[in-house]
Structures are given as structure tokens and as C-alpha cells.
């Protein structure tokens, strides 16, 4: 017997009260790409375009409960993980997901907001390496996050390659190191498979302060596109294109007084439906 269902992805992330990043950006991104988005909230941030002023962490049992509730009922094939503020949150996520074999996890190690505010406690780094990296299909760190995970300083492309090798030891098969923090007319992201450089993705730098939530948006787009059946290289390429166009579409629009959001709905797609058998 066949039945129809939406393509579904679960985002596990913090809430951004200004709507530009975090779970709000994840849901907007997945929805605009035609994927049904479910969510598990890990933290509530007091945040606007100018910065983060407070973080309230959700109790670990509630985080784990949200994940299990969604996974047991909706059964999404893919999961995106964003902000996990402390070790207890990470353990809750790891404990929940280990019971759902075959789930594809895209991990965006959110450590620092666009404004520069720290979003992860220091004791959480070791837990991230030991519990979540081995369970993740893909990791999407920016340069500062790659430095923290690899325990080294990155100054040039060769350093990124070395950092990827160090990070791959923890078990993540695919690593996409984002180059947005490097100044220049172009931005280059580097995709690694088991620590080996596979492909580079270049895009033109857009002169705009409206880049709030781009990391959340990219990782969510990758998870969504993987869920629709795209290969890793195709998913990353199309996700990069989606984010670039979202930045361009929102570049000249003022939203708040700091780093404004991208335009997630520059080319929305209807929710995708596919047939499955009981």
C-alpha cells in the first residue's frame, strides 16, 4: 500500500528572537526549499541584529523529549544540528539520536554569533568532539570554529587542509569549511571527504551588513537538499547558490540596526511530496 508524505527534516537548534538565525532561519530555509521542517529547541536567546544579550538553556530532558517525539512520529530522514550551548545539551541530543539508526546528521557547530558573541560554553567543546562528531555525516564549521575543533590557528589555505585532517580523526566523513571570515572579493568554501580535499566552491563577496544567520541557513539548506536526494557535492553546490542569492536579494534592505537577515524567500518552492510503501 502506497501513501504520500512530505520530505521532512528535523532542526535541533536555538531560537533567535530577531528571526534571522537559529531555528527560525532553519525553518525558513527548509520551507523555501520545499522541505517540511520540524524543530527541537535547545536554547532561547535574547537577541536582535546588534547582538546576543542573554541565553536561556532548555533543560536536557526537554531537549531529548522534543527529539524523540518528532523522530517517533514524523520520522524525518535527516537532522540538522545547530546551537548546543553546553555539554548537557549535547549529551541529550546524542542520547536521543543514537536510537534512530540511518538518520543523516548535518552538524553546524555554532560557537560564535555573527555579532561576535560566544554561544557555546568552554566545557562543551570536548563533548562535541567525542559524542557528536562521530555521529555526524557532515560538519560545517567556519574558520574560527575549525580552529577551535582542530586546536590550531588558520592563516592560509594549507592551514585549512591541515585542520580538516585533524577534525576528520573524530569521525565525521564530510567536512565543509566555510571561508566567509577571510577578507577578499571572493569567498571559498572547501569540501573534504575523510580529511581529503574533494572540491572548492567560490562565490563573489556581497557588500552588505545583512549576513546574520548565513551559517544556519547554509547548513539547513544542505540538510534539506540531501533529504530530497541530492548527492553531497550537488547539495553543497545548490545550498551555496541558495545562500548567495538570498544574500543578494536582501543586501539593500534594512532590518534592524545591526547585521540584518538574508532574504530566505527569494525563490520559494512548494512542499515536496513523495510516495512511500508501508
Amino acid at each position: 500500500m502506497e501513501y504520500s508524505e512530505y520530505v521532512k527534516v528535523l532542526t535541533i537548534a536555538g531560537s533567535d528572537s530577531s528571526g534571522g538565525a537559529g531555528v527560525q532561519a532553519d525553518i525558513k530555509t527548509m520551507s523555501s526549499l520545499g522541505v517540511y521542517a520540524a524543530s527541537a529547541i535547545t536554547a532561547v536567546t535574547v537577541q536582535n541584529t546588534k547582538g546576543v544579550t542573554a541565553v536561556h538553556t532548555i533543560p536536557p530532558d526537554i531537549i531529548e523529549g522534543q527529539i524523540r517525539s518528532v523522530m517517533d512520529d514524523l520520522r524525518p530522514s535527516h537532522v540538522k544540528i545547530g546551537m548546543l550551548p553546553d555539554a548537557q545539551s549535547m549529551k541529550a541530543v546524542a542520547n536521543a539520536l543514537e536510537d534512530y539508526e540511518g538518520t543523516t546528521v548535518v552538524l553546524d557547530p555554532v560557537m560564535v554569533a555573527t555579532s561576535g558573541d560566544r554561544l557555546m560554553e568552554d566545557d562543551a567543546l570536548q563533548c562535541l568532539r567525542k559524542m557528536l562528531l562521530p555521529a555526524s555525516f557532515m560538519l560545517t564549521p567556519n574558520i574560527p570554529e575549525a580552529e577551535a575543533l582542530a586546536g590550531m590557528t588558520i592563516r592560509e589555505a594549507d592551514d585549512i587542509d591541515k585542520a580538516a585532517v585533524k577534525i576528520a580523526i573524530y569521525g565525521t566523513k564530510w567536512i565543509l569549511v566555510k571561508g566567509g571570515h577571510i577578507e577578499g572579493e571572493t569567498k571559498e568554501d572547501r569540501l573534504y571527504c575523510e580529511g581529503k580535499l574533494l572540491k572548492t566552491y567560490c562565490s563573489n563577496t556581497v557588500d552588505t551588513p545583512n549576513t546574520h544567520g548565513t551559517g544556519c541557513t547554509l547548513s539547513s539548506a544542505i540538510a534539506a537538499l540531501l533529504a530530497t536526494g541530492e548527492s553531497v557535492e550537488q547539495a553543497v553546490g545548490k545550498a551555496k547558490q541558495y545562500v548567495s542569492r538570498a544574500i543578494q536579494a536582501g543586501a539593500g534592505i534594512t532590518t534592524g540596526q545591526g547585521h540584518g537577515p538574508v532574504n530566505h524567500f527569494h525563490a520559494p518552492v512548494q512542499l515536496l511530496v513523495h510516495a512511500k510503501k508501508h
Side-chain angles (χ1 to χ4, degrees):
M1 179 179 178
E2 285 193 347
Y3 64 97
S4 296
E5 66 173 11
Y6 296 123
V7 177
K8 297 165 295 218
V9 176
L10 168 63
T11 169
I12 304 170
S15 170
D16 170 12
S17 49
S18 70
V23 72
Q24 287 85 346
D26 297 345
I27 292 173
K28 291 175 184 178
T29 299
M30 294 172 188
S31 299
S32 71
L33 291 171
V35 172
Y36 184 93
S39 64
I41 308 297
T42 60
V44 177
T45 65
V46 180
Q47 180 176 179
N48 56 28
T49 62
K50 295 186 289 184
V52 180
T53 54
V55 176
H56 171 70
T57 302
I58 302 299
D61 61 324
I62 300 299
I63 295 174
E64 185 170 349
Q66 292 177 86
I67 296 169
R68 291 187 181 278
S69 182
V70 171
M71 296 300 293
D72 288 341
D73 182 27
L74 276 65
R75 301 186 183 279
S77 60
H78 290 64
V79 172
K80 174 263 169 84
I81 301 176
M83 178 187 177
L84 298 173
D86 56 27
Q88 290 71 35
S89 301
M90 293 180 186
K91 290 174 184 176
V93 172
N95 288 339
L97 291 180
E98 69 179 359
D99 289 339
Y100 303 95
E101 292 186 9
T103 303
T104 300
V105 175
V106 176
L107 173 61
D108 182 21
V110 181
M111 299 176 182
V112 183
T114 303
S115 59
D117 295 294
R118 285 292 300 271
L119 296 173
M120 180 184 289
E121 295 180 3
D122 292 336
D123 68 336
L125 182 57
Q126 283 295 93
C127 188
L128 183 71
R129 286 173 175 152
K130 292 180 179 179
M131 298 192 72
L132 288 177
L133 294 193
S136 299
F137 176 74
M138 177 178 283
L139 182 72
T140 62
N142 57 31
I143 296 295
E145 291 160 351
E147 288 180 323
L149 288 165
M152 61 174 284
T153 300
I154 294 174
R155 293 191 176 90
E156 55 189 11
D158 286 347
D159 294 332
I160 301 175
D161 295 342
K162 293 174 185 176
V165 172
K166 290 178 177 289
I167 297 169
I169 291 172
Y170 295 104
T172 304
K173 181 176 181 179
W174 295 92
I175 302 169
L176 179 70
V177 182
K178 300 172 293 188
H181 284 73
I182 297 177
E183 297 297 327
E185 294 183 358
T186 61
K187 302 295 185 186
E188 183 180 270
D189 293 358
R190 301 169 75 85
L191 179 65
Y192 300 85
C193 181
E194 297 178 342
K196 297 179 181 178
L197 180 62
L198 185 68
K199 190 170 184 177
T200 59
Y201 300 84
C202 293
S203 58
N204 293 326
T205 301
V206 181
D207 184 16
T208 176
N210 298 337
T211 57
H212 184 50
T214 48
C216 304
T217 298
L218 179 63
S219 55
S220 294
I222 292 171
L225 290 162
L226 287 173
T228 67
E230 299 283 1
S231 69
V232 171
E233 291 181 60
Q234 290 174 326
V236 172
K238 289 184 178 181
K240 285 277 297 172
Q241 185 179 68
Y242 168 80
V243 173
S244 294
R245 290 177 177 175
I247 294 172
Q248 292 167 355
I253 301 171
T254 300
T255 306
Q257 302 170 55
H259 292 281
V262 303
N263 183 345
H264 292 94
F265 295 106
H266 60 280
V269 176
Q270 286 189 344
L271 283 179
L272 302 172
V273 176
H274 63 153
K276 293 196 75 173
K277 292 183 179 181
H278 279 293

